[in-house]
Amino acid sequence: MSTDSYAAWDRPIGLTAPSGIDREAHNRLDEAWLAAAWSHPTTRVFVVSGGQALIDDTPDGRTELVMTPAFEAPLTETHRYFLGTDEDGVRYFALQKDSLPGRMDQSARPAGLREAGLLLSPRDAGLLVHAVALENWQRLHRFCSRCGERTVIAAAGHIRRCQACGAEHYPRTDPAVIMLVTDDEDRALLGRQVHWPEGRFSTLAGFVEPGESIEQSVRREVREEVGVSVGEVGYVASQPWPFPSSLMLGFTARAVSSEIVVDGEEIHEARWFSREELRAAFESGEVLPPYGISIAARLVELWYGKPLPKPGDAA
């Protein structure tokens, strides 16, 4: 499947636009530098809790993360994560708390990446992705996998150290493949997971297993989930997906068989769609499109050739 006709239509993948933030990893172990950065009057801080942060709408129609100067931020000694510095020299920190702070003006609202990722600027979306990924990892890796003792936070939130055995643990990212499969008739194969609402269809996806190349993973996952064999595999793009810790690797894949046999455990239903069939199903509401922030939507659009129609759109 060629992407040439699609390349001129510029629609970025959610959570991947350049944020303009330098993560400055070389400063994460410099406690004096971090202390000075935290106390600087231009430094901005936001709270992350349970994958959410506060966002607010501005009078000019934008949506922003709710940030405060460091001296107004909630108190915390350990769960303070340095995220980086922007082009104007402003430094950003996230604070992990058990709950989000209240707002006196009542205009701010809590939001996760699925909602906020499409609303925020590339800078704010990039900061939130980084913070949520660190928060998820921190919550799930409090104990040493080598000796079982509790670990402590280091490197401004990017390392956990075991003081008992000396092991260092780093944020985990799990590679996952996500693929738009097409056949010789240029139909697209979409599936519905068992826990999705009725009518929600998307591309197939799965985690890369140990000792497996990503191309092998694409072929295995498609075969396991829907019984279709895949030949040619082509890489498209990637997307951070911290739910809780994935990196989605997007592909196109060409099927060499067409009979569908769903596994019944992950995939409840799968269908081949022509462009005309998918358009009609979307417009009638029979099929719900992939979530707009996900790379799945971009993969389907890559094949479809333009933005996906919404329920009620005219043909």
Side-chain angles (χ1 to χ4, degrees):
M1 178 170 55
S2 171
T3 63
D4 293 344
S5 61
Y6 185 82
W9 179 61
D10 184 16
R11 184 171 171 81
I13 297 169
L15 310 180
T16 64
S19 66
I21 298 293
D22 181 352
R23 294 193 175 195
E24 293 195 275
H26 59 283
N27 285 320
R28 292 173 185 163
L29 294 171
D30 188 335
E31 294 298 332
W33 186 93
L34 290 169
W38 175 260
S39 62
H40 197 279
T42 64
T43 292
R44 290 296 176 265
V45 180
F46 66 94
V47 174
V48 60
S49 179
Q52 293 189 319
L54 291 178
I55 63 173
D56 206 354
D57 298 322
T58 66
D60 59 0
R62 294 177 294 110
T63 301
E64 296 181 336
L65 280 174
V66 174
M67 302 192 202
T68 65
F71 64 84
E72 293 181 2
L75 294 177
T76 181
E77 292 299 324
T78 56
H79 293 277
R80 178 192 297 174
Y81 310 144
F82 173 62
L83 304 179
T85 304
D86 70 15
E87 296 170 349
D88 296 322
V90 177
R91 284 135 184 174
Y92 297 91
F93 287 81
L95 300 181
Q96 178 182 325
K97 304 289 285 184
D98 291 334
S99 62
L100 296 175
R103 292 280 291 179
M104 296 297 293
D105 56 20
Q106 300 297 312
S107 65
R109 63 187 186 278
L113 281 169
R114 285 187 173 89
E115 174 191 352
L118 290 175
L119 302 175
L120 297 172
S121 67
R123 184 203 69 182
D124 284 8
L127 290 169
L128 186 56
V129 169
H130 192 173
V132 168
L134 285 176
E135 183 204 21
N136 285 333
W137 173 68
Q138 294 281 357
R139 289 187 185 278
L140 296 174
H141 294 80
R142 296 177 178 177
F143 296 90
C144 179
S145 59
R146 180 184 294 176
C147 72
E149 293 295 323
R150 183 176 289 275
T151 56
V152 297
I153 296 173
H158 295 76
I159 293 176
R160 291 193 74 101
R161 288 199 180 106
C162 179
Q163 296 178 313
C165 72
E168 289 189 346
H169 304 278
Y170 295 85
R172 172 178 171 176
T173 298
D174 301 319
V177 292
I178 183 167
M179 43 276 175
L180 191 283
V181 181
T182 57
D183 66 2
D184 289 340
E185 299 177 36
D186 203 23
R187 297 179 300 172
L189 177 60
L190 302 179
R192 183 167 73 85
Q193 292 190 18
V194 294
H195 61 276
W196 286 356
E198 188 72 27
R200 173 77 67 193
F201 279 79
S202 188
T203 53
L204 304 178
F207 288 104
V208 179
E209 292 189 347
E212 186 177 55
S213 73
I214 52 179
E215 292 84 2
Q216 289 171 332
S217 182
V218 169
R219 297 186 179 100
R220 175 186 53 77
E221 285 287 345
V222 175
R223 185 70 176 176
E224 288 178 354
E225 292 186 347
V226 296
V228 172
S229 297
V230 163
E232 181 183 358
V233 173
Y235 175 73
V236 178
S238 64
Q239 181 187 40
W241 197 247
F243 301 108
S245 57
S246 298
L247 176 65
M248 306 303 296
L249 307 169
F251 293 88
T252 58
R254 178 66 74 176
V256 296
S257 69
S258 59
E259 182 181 358
I260 296 172
V261 182
V262 298
D263 63 6
E265 296 182 0
E266 294 185 53
I267 302 299
H268 177 73
E269 181 183 3
R271 294 167 55 185
W272 291 104
F273 292 90
S274 68
R275 290 175 180 81
E276 293 74 19
E277 289 169 341
L278 190 62
R279 180 185 64 195
F282 281 151
E283 292 172 355
S284 69
E286 175 191 355
V287 169
L288 303 174
Y291 294 104
I293 194 174
S294 73
I295 192 174
R298 301 292 87 78
L299 290 172
V300 177
E301 288 175 342
L302 173 66
W303 163 79
Y304 191 71
K306 56 184 177 180
L308 298 178
K310 298 178 179 61
D313 285 354

